[in-house]
Amino acid sequence: MPTSRYLGLEAALSHKPSVFAKPAGKASEYFGANVFNQKAMREYMPKEAFESVMKAIDRGDKIDRGIADQVATAMKAWAMAKGASHYTHWFQPLTGATAEKHDAFFEPTADGYAIEKFNGGMLVQAEPDASSFPNGGIRNTFEARGYTAWDPTSPAFVLADTLCIPTVFVAYTGEALDNKTPLLRSLQAVDHAATSVCQYFDKNIGKVHATLGWEQEYFLIDEALYHARPDLVMTGRTLVGHSPAKGQQMEDHYFGSIPERVIQFMREIEFESHLLGIPVKTRHNEVAPGQFEFAPIFEEANVAVDHNSLFMDLLDKVASRHNFRVLLHEKPFAGVNGSGKHNNWSLATDTGINLLAPGSTPKRNLLFLSFFVNTIKAMHDRADLIRAAIASASNDHRLGANEAPPAIISVFIGSQLTEVLDELEKLESGKMSPEKKTELKLNVVGKIPEILLDNTDRNRTSPFAFTGNKFELRAVGSLANCSHAMTTLNLMVTDQLIQFKKDVDAQIAQGLKKDDAIFNVLKDYIKASKKIRFEGDGYGDAWKEEAEKRGLKNTPDTPRALDFLVTKDAEGLFEKHGVLSKVELHARYEILQEEYFKHLQIESRTLGDLVHNHIIPSAIKYQSVMSENLLRLKALLPEATFKKTCKEQLDIIEELSERISKALRHVEEMTEARKKANTIESARERALAYCDTVKPFLSSIRYEVDKMELIVDNETWPLPKYRELLYIR
Ligand code: ADP
Ligand code: MG
């Protein structure tokens, strides 16, 4: 147990017992109990209103005002029965967090009484005073107001005493100010493009939706220790701290049993998630000590993204009930495994087909191959956009750091499918003989097994891996809102599928049979996208060299990765499919660049404070104790003995002097670099200045501090150490 040198330690020692007791019932009995789902809607709503909402969900139909009033009345009755007294429009502004402003149902009447009021107008639209949310200049240029609007495709829910209504957040002039709006637009775009390609194979398919299954990694640390680390409080990561003698090298945490305190916490998270209809299913220890993961069963992507945002909030809330803090930062501890959020993505039809799962017939597999190859081609053509979509100051610490996917985007598909694509690539162009086609269908396409065994050993080093029935985007950061990655993926695939349809139709117009045309186009795509496929070790240096030869980009930092968002191609792509206008895209770009340098600014200031107010004073205290001692020894001991036995102690004093001096000098230089960067007007240029001239000091200062941690008296050291933070008791 750490000694009394930390603030707030008493709190850690007197853990308040958790109020949580696992409910008696089965999960199936209370799953979704706090969600205004179909079951609740049926119970509380007139048939007409219910059908109207279902049409809005299935087909995007508008809900008229009269119906909205009926829905609102039903929602209020249901929510009040659940104990709700307030409601909020729940949205995801561009800060990456979730936002809510609670209003009471309660309203006084003229005659001195009060009623609970909630009508269609209040359900459908609200105007939060949102002037301090980031907007990238949109609302300055246009109109100062923004409003939230109900998203009927994601169900309302009750959290504590509040009815939460998922909404989009847009400027008065219609520009998106949130993460949900572009996601919804991309889902619509991919639906149209994919449904139209599905028509080649099955006329019954009327709608395609994207699916997402996220895997959330996080660290858990003791709350009192967290409060004793200003860097964790201010930045979410440790800016200093030497690796412990025992890190993850024994690999015992991954296999180890979950500590009792953590299990209690996990049980409560599961319970709370299930009440909210978040289908969390697996929980386990991760690679690093103190690191864990939760994963739900996949859902329709819009709902899954909302659920992930909600889940991140829940983690925070429930953790504090157990005297824990959750760290969602991608790299809270240097030298220890970082945290990601794998985004498992696929496309599913309204007829129940997973378009990225092979089937049992050649026809079904040609459908699978079409979506499979088009996804690879999309990734080949627009890998840069995915790199931009996962870029953040915190994820930069993880990408390419030898334990996470590299910053180079590539696609892993496994040897079985590689063989299939290699076969198809050999096809000759043009018409196929009936024999050739039969052979191809039977021996290549027909042979793709429904279960791809080879993918069970998944190449863990790939940023985008095909894992049997879905693609797994592993480069997404643990802190990220999944919507960036999902919007981008949907958009890229949309554009590719539209191109595919055009190319196939062109060949059909030239007299080719449909199947021949599809084979021909797929063959061309397989050839054209070959360089994005990589089956080897993505962590090795050899891959960096190889990737460079192939012309694949390795973009290790955020400001440069973000530049991919504002190329002519990107602008055209986002605009063409109605996902983001040029104005919206540029606004986002500005916000992300700003977010980057602000993040580094806070880290740099915090580190400066730590060094001046915590580290150096402790180092000097210890140095002066040692010096005092040496002076006394010098007076006491014969000179020869002093020289012979005290040299090592003198060395330590000297080393401390040197490190103190270097640390202080670097802090001064870092402050200068920051001052200079702060005079730069353009967000991009300022972000670059922070990246290139401020960020390097974070490492060089840390180096000196971590060395001092090794020599300064443990009693004197002012911060909880890694060995104390990482091992939960
Ligand atoms: P792991 O990668 O940890 O071995 P799984 O492969 O079983 O785990 O699943 C990881 C995630 O992928 C889960 O959230 C799961 O629901 C999700 N998943 C499975 N099938 C699909 C799909 N068709 N679309 C999207 N996500 C899926
Ligand atoms: Mg995974």
Side-chain angles (χ1 to χ4, degrees):
M1 204 60 203
T3 55
S4 58
R5 64 180 189 267
Y6 317 122
L7 228 88
L9 189 81
E10 292 78 71
L13 294 171
S14 61
H15 294 306
K16 23 178 186 192
S18 169
V19 289
F20 176 70
K22 193 177 170 346
K26 289 187 288 239
S28 57
E29 287 160 10
Y30 55 77
F31 184 80
N34 290 347
V35 184
F36 196 55
N37 52 20
Q38 284 195 32
K39 186 168 158 266
M41 281 196 269
R42 264 186 218 283
E43 194 180 321
Y44 280 84
M45 258 163 31
K47 192 157 175 269
E48 182 198 16
F50 175 77
E51 277 167 6
S52 180
V53 173
M54 292 318 291
K55 274 188 201 147
I57 296 173
D58 291 340
R59 308 203 310 236
D61 288 6
K62 277 221 152 55
I63 293 176
D64 74 41
R65 196 46 191 267
I67 298 285
D69 276 332
Q70 292 182 25
V71 178
T73 305
M75 247 188 214
K76 184 185 73 178
W78 169 81
M80 284 176 60
K82 297 274 164 202
S85 53
H86 289 64
Y87 72 94
T88 181
H89 275 198
W90 183 80
F91 60 104
Q92 298 163 44
L94 295 171
T95 51
T98 56
E100 43 197 88
K101 177 190 160 224
H102 299 192
D103 282 306
F105 289 132
F106 159 88
E107 221 164 87
T109 55
D111 51 7
Y113 291 94
I115 51 162
E116 265 77 29
K117 189 176 162 196
F118 184 63
N119 60 27
M122 293 148 105
L123 163 68
V124 171
Q125 191 168 320
E127 247 183 78
D129 174 20
S131 50
S132 47
F133 288 114
N135 59 63
I138 282 183
R139 282 182 298 134
N140 302 339
T141 334
F142 292 82
E143 158 72 48
R145 280 184 298 172
Y147 66 91
T148 51
W150 178 35
D151 167 19
T153 61
S154 182
F157 53 91
V158 166
L159 190 57
D161 62 357
T162 304
L163 165 67
C164 302
I165 301 152
T167 56
V168 294
F169 178 39
V170 289
Y172 199 68
T173 39
E175 282 85 10
L177 297 172
D178 68 346
N179 288 313
K180 187 193 264 277
T181 307
L183 175 69
L184 289 175
R185 293 171 180 164
S186 78
L187 288 166
Q188 203 173 24
V190 81
D191 171 17
H192 288 158
T195 302
S196 141
V197 167
C198 285
Q199 296 297 303
Y200 285 137
F201 304 88
D202 183 348
K203 298 269 184 239
N204 294 321
I205 296 174
K207 187 176 161 76
V208 172
H209 62 268
T211 51
L212 164 64
W214 42 266
E215 301 167 56
Q216 180 73 52
E217 292 182 331
Y218 62 95
F219 278 86
L220 215 49
I221 67 164
D222 194 285
E223 190 166 34
L225 298 180
Y226 168 87
H227 283 299
R229 295 276 321 209
D231 48 357
L232 282 179
V233 175
M234 303 302 285
T235 72
R237 76 172 176 114
T238 56
L239 297 171
V240 298
H242 201 279
S243 334
K246 180 185 167 203
Q248 62 197 56
Q249 68 272 55
M250 306 295 283
E251 298 183 340
D252 49 356
H253 182 69
Y254 197 59
F255 301 101
S257 66
I258 304 176
E260 188 53 33
R261 237 182 113 189
V262 178
I263 278 281
Q264 292 282 352
F265 156 79
M266 286 178 163
R267 282 201 191 117
E268 190 166 350
I269 283 281
E270 277 171 344
F271 176 61
E272 294 271 1
S273 299
H274 288 162
L275 286 177
L276 291 167
I278 307 172
V280 292
K281 185 142 169 88
T282 54
R283 57 179 191 205
H284 61 80
N285 285 5
E286 261 304 322
V287 180
Q291 193 186 27
F292 306 91
E293 179 186 296
F294 264 117
I297 295 167
F298 70 93
E299 301 175 277
E300 185 280 320
N302 176 38
V303 174
V305 170
D306 280 358
H307 277 170
N308 181 248
S309 293
L310 187 54
F311 185 77
M312 291 196 283
D313 281 351
L314 272 185
L315 279 177
D316 230 35
K317 288 200 175 96
V318 176
S320 83
R321 294 182 206 150
H322 295 257
N323 297 302
F324 281 131
R325 273 293 172 146
V326 163
L327 304 179
L328 286 173
H329 193 287
E330 283 80 358
K331 195 79 181 172
F333 303 99
V336 172
N337 198 56
S339 299
K341 175 150 54 201
H342 294 178
N343 278 204
N344 295 272
W345 172 90
S346 189
L347 293 171
T349 69
D350 56 352
T351 58
I353 295 173
N354 174 0
L355 292 168
L356 286 171
S360 53
T361 64
K363 184 176 164 204
R364 178 67 187 71
N365 277 344
L366 194 53
L367 174 66
F368 157 71
L369 275 176
S370 298
F371 280 89
F372 179 67
V373 170
N374 273 291
T375 305
I376 297 172
K377 177 73 164 39
M379 197 51 82
H380 168 270
D381 291 359
R382 300 222 164 83
D384 285 355
L385 286 184
I386 282 292
R387 177 63 190 91
I390 55 164
S392 72
S394 51
N395 208 18
D396 279 359
H397 291 285
R398 174 173 163 264
L399 297 179
N402 275 339
E403 36 92 351
I408 309 163
I409 304 292
S410 66
V411 183
F412 167 86
I413 61 171
S415 61
Q416 284 175 315
L417 285 167
T418 301
E419 269 169 40
V420 172
L421 297 200
D422 287 349
E423 276 307 312
L424 293 176
E425 195 186 338
K426 285 188 220 145
L427 290 179
E428 275 168 35
S429 296
K431 262 201 177 96
M432 272 184 255
S433 70
E435 299 79 42
K436 175 76 200 160
K437 203 151 71 185
T438 307
E439 195 229 278
L440 186 68
K441 283 191 174 170
L442 287 180
N443 293 331
V444 181
V445 182
K447 283 262 169 71
I448 302 173
E450 275 188 79
I451 309 282
L452 293 152
L453 293 176
D454 164 67
N455 279 289
T456 50
D457 68 351
R458 297 135 188 223
N459 182 334
R460 290 269 156 197
T461 67
S462 177
F464 193 64
F466 184 71
T467 48
N469 55 5
K470 66 205 182 269
F471 277 99
E472 183 167 346
L473 182 60
R474 303 214 183 93
V476 182
S478 46
L479 194 52
N481 182 309
C482 305
S483 64
H484 294 287
M486 290 298 98
T487 301
T488 308
L489 195 52
N490 292 336
L491 172 65
M492 289 158 54
V493 170
T494 296
D495 196 62
Q496 180 53 48
L497 290 171
I498 292 173
Q499 188 59 44
F500 177 66
K501 182 89 179 21
K502 268 192 206 147
D503 291 342
V504 171
D505 285 349
Q507 300 235 4
I508 293 174
Q510 281 170 14
L512 251 69
K513 286 238 173 64
K514 188 174 73 188
D515 282 2
D516 293 21
I518 290 173
F519 275 122
N520 268 294
V521 174
L522 289 181
K523 179 204 69 179
D524 291 345
Y525 288 177
I526 291 167
K527 262 193 197 153
S529 62
K530 206 167 177 184
K531 74 167 194 286
I532 197 80
R533 275 160 45 200
F534 178 62
E535 302 285 303
D537 176 9
Y539 295 171
D541 280 333
W543 171 230
K544 283 191 196 142
E545 280 169 39
E546 163 76 15
E548 197 177 338
K549 267 190 225 142
R550 293 189 189 187
L552 300 180
K553 286 193 203 106
N554 182 4
T555 316
D557 54 69
T558 291
R560 289 174 180 88
L562 291 177
D563 281 347
F564 299 140
L565 277 182
V566 288
T567 61
K568 279 269 160 304
D569 177 66
E571 286 171 9
L573 182 74
F574 276 96
E575 195 143 50
K576 180 161 65 169
H577 303 294
V579 172
L580 288 172
S581 69
K582 192 170 160 186
V583 171
E584 290 172 321
L585 189 64
H586 278 260
R588 258 145 236 265
Y589 174 75
E590 289 289 313
I591 289 168
L592 291 166
Q593 295 284 20
E594 256 177 44
E595 196 178 286
Y596 179 83
F597 72 67
K598 283 182 183 160
H599 192 105
L600 278 177
Q601 184 177 45
I602 294 169
E603 288 195 345
S604 155
R605 285 177 178 165
T606 306
L607 183 59
D609 287 354
L610 268 183
V611 167
H612 274 288
N613 306 330
H614 299 244
I615 311 292
I616 304 289
S618 311
I620 290 177
K621 214 179 274 170
Y622 179 56
Q623 195 188 33
S624 92
V625 170
M626 282 195 91
S627 316
E628 281 293 318
N629 180 50
L630 274 177
L631 282 175
R632 289 197 195 132
L633 286 176
K634 193 164 184 196
L636 278 175
L637 297 175
E639 196 179 330
T641 317
F642 180 79
K643 274 198 176 141
K644 195 173 148 218
T645 60
C646 294
K647 183 177 173 313
E648 292 75 13
Q649 294 183 56
L650 270 171
D651 286 349
I652 289 181
I653 292 181
E654 205 178 310
E655 183 181 341
L656 272 176
S657 281
E658 251 168 46
R659 299 212 184 276
I660 289 170
S661 143
K662 271 195 198 156
L664 286 173
R665 199 169 63 242
H666 287 324
V667 169
E668 205 172 302
E669 287 164 2
M670 174 173 74
T671 310
E672 279 313 308
R674 218 164 59 214
K675 275 191 192 149
K676 209 166 144 204
N678 290 344
T679 61
I680 302 173
E681 199 52 44
S682 136
R684 175 184 186 267
E685 299 309 317
R686 200 191 291 191
L688 278 174
Y690 264 92
C691 177
D692 297 339
T693 70
V694 177
K695 197 175 158 207
F697 285 113
L698 295 177
S699 322
S700 63
I701 294 167
R702 175 184 195 132
Y703 179 80
E704 304 302 332
V705 173
D706 289 357
K707 289 286 181 200
M708 285 193 261
E709 184 190 314
L710 291 182
I711 46 181
V712 169
D713 175 16
N714 189 55
E715 273 299 311
T716 313
W717 194 251
L719 302 169
K721 296 179 177 177
Y722 272 26
R723 65 162 188 270
E724 294 157 324
L725 294 170
L726 284 168
Y727 294 92
I728 288 172
R729 293 152 296 261

